[in-house]
Amino acid sequence: MKWEGQRQSENVEDRRGEGGGGGFRLGGGRGIGVGSIVIALVGGWIFGINPLTILGVLEGGGPAPSAQQAPAQAPPANDTMATFVSTVLADTEDVWGSVMKTGGVAYREPKLVLFRGGVATACGTGQSAMGPFYCPGDQKVYLDLGFFDTLRSRLGAPGDFAQAYVISHEVGHHVQNLMGITGKVDGMRGRVSETQMNALSVRVELQADCFAGVWTHHSQKGKGWLDRADIDEALNAAAQIGDDMLQRKSQGSVVPESFTHGSSQQRQTWFKRGLESGAVAQCNTFDARGL
Ligand SMILES: [Zn+2]
């Protein structure tokens, strides 16, 4: 990916210097109030956390982030990783701004928070071990850059465009939020069985993968900064974080009813669908009969 020298976003908040390691806890509870849902990239148990927590939730009830946080800072200019993230985020702003406008909707740009360890969010306290996540309550994507090491070395998904896929997947959750999809799905919580909630979660996640593909399509059209190897990096990442792959690696067996993000094949299929069409309408996982 030839990303150097392209526009950077003004929506990156660097909170890596704020510590925040101690004292946080993951809520084990479910069905907590509005805005408590957090949508992560991968099922958390690969990091030793119950996947229900991930889909579910961070306990609310901490102090409002704005009350306790220092003003947001931009990352330093000489930080290559942060510059990369900022450049990808900027392109998602360009693409989604234009795609949503075509659909008659104004695009409200999300913030992207870089953090280390733990971080206060409108969804409760997040932690690095969850992997990157999006909090609908404050419309921010949260990312510990250390995840990219995990992605490369532990999850077997190297490459800058694997990382771009991760960022654009999270931005895809933001697009879902703006479309009202996140709220609708969260409203089902507690009203359907756990298995049904998992199945809904899979559709949410596959749609975010499809949106990542839509972004890739328009991004390449606009900038021509990708080559075939980049697309392969994204497809490989999608496969490596498929629920079946992760379960096989961690527990040796696969339990489809417990999937929350979709199989490797499904994640690749929906990413490709967005990539090839560039059309949001092609990403309707909720009405799709087969995934
Ligand atoms: Zn996700």
Side-chain angles (χ1 to χ4, degrees):
M1 183 179 188
K2 294 191 179 63
W3 59 271
E4 290 92 346
Q6 300 284 349
R7 182 178 82 83
Q8 294 177 47
S9 173
E10 288 170 5
N11 289 309
V12 177
E13 295 179 6
D14 193 350
R15 299 197 175 279
R16 288 174 294 176
E18 293 176 22
F24 60 79
R25 72 195 167 102
L26 278 173
R30 303 175 62 197
I32 301 173
V34 175
S36 62
I37 185 173
V38 166
I39 311 170
L41 179 83
V42 291
W45 41 265
I46 187 110
F47 305 106
I49 298 169
N50 182 337
L52 289 177
T53 310
I54 291 288
L55 205 208
V57 196
L58 287 179
E59 189 108 28
S66 56
Q68 61 172 200
Q69 284 184 343
Q73 284 188 327
N78 62 357
D79 183 331
T80 308
M81 267 326 292
T83 302
F84 169 74
V85 169
S86 181
T87 304
V88 171
L89 184 66
D91 193 67
T92 66
E93 291 162 0
D94 295 343
V95 166
W96 283 112
S98 144
V99 169
M100 299 279 275
K101 199 173 166 191
T102 308
V105 182
Y107 183 61
R108 195 182 318 140
E109 296 172 355
K111 302 285 183 194
L112 187 152
V113 180
L114 297 175
F115 74 100
R116 250 186 223 127
V119 63
T121 82
C123 301
T125 303
Q127 65 167 347
S128 302
M130 297 174 60
F133 63 92
Y134 172 72
C135 170
D138 53 23
Q139 305 200 352
K140 295 182 182 184
V141 170
Y142 290 87
L143 174 65
D144 183 327
L145 292 175
F147 177 76
F148 291 150
D149 294 329
T150 303
L151 190 65
R152 182 183 60 243
S153 58
R154 284 177 59 191
L155 296 173
D160 53 9
F161 203 70
Q163 298 168 358
Y165 156 69
V166 167
I167 296 163
S168 64
H169 172 98
E170 295 306 329
V171 171
H173 285 311
H174 174 66
V175 172
Q176 290 175 313
N177 190 22
L178 295 182
M179 290 176 163
I181 293 164
T182 312
K184 270 189 196 152
V185 171
D186 199 30
M188 302 295 283
R189 193 178 303 284
R191 293 165 44 200
V192 299
S193 73
E194 192 174 307
T195 304
Q196 286 170 315
M197 204 62 216
N198 286 348
L200 266 176
S201 166
V202 167
R203 288 174 193 260
V204 168
E205 294 301 330
L206 293 178
Q207 186 174 62
D209 283 335
C210 188
F211 285 173
V214 169
W215 165 70
T216 306
H217 175 102
H218 293 284
S219 177
Q220 175 66 355
K221 231 179 190 174
K223 293 207 167 70
W225 56 359
L226 309 177
D227 58 29
R228 184 66 226 180
D230 289 312
I231 303 302
D232 289 343
E233 285 171 4
L235 287 169
N236 176 56
Q240 297 298 340
I241 59 177
D243 284 325
D244 50 343
M245 182 77 87
L246 294 176
Q247 288 189 358
R248 205 169 287 122
K249 278 187 193 167
S250 75
Q251 63 198 31
S253 59
V254 175
V255 185
E257 301 81 51
S258 69
F259 286 3
T260 53
H261 289 66
S263 69
S264 299
Q265 193 186 355
Q266 288 169 336
R267 298 196 76 158
Q268 287 189 326
T269 297
W270 284 94
F271 175 81
K272 272 193 229 165
R273 205 162 157 160
L275 172 67
E276 283 159 16
S277 67
V280 169
Q282 286 298 312
C283 298
N284 191 347
T285 55
F286 295 94
D287 286 344
R289 267 201 208 150
L291 294 172

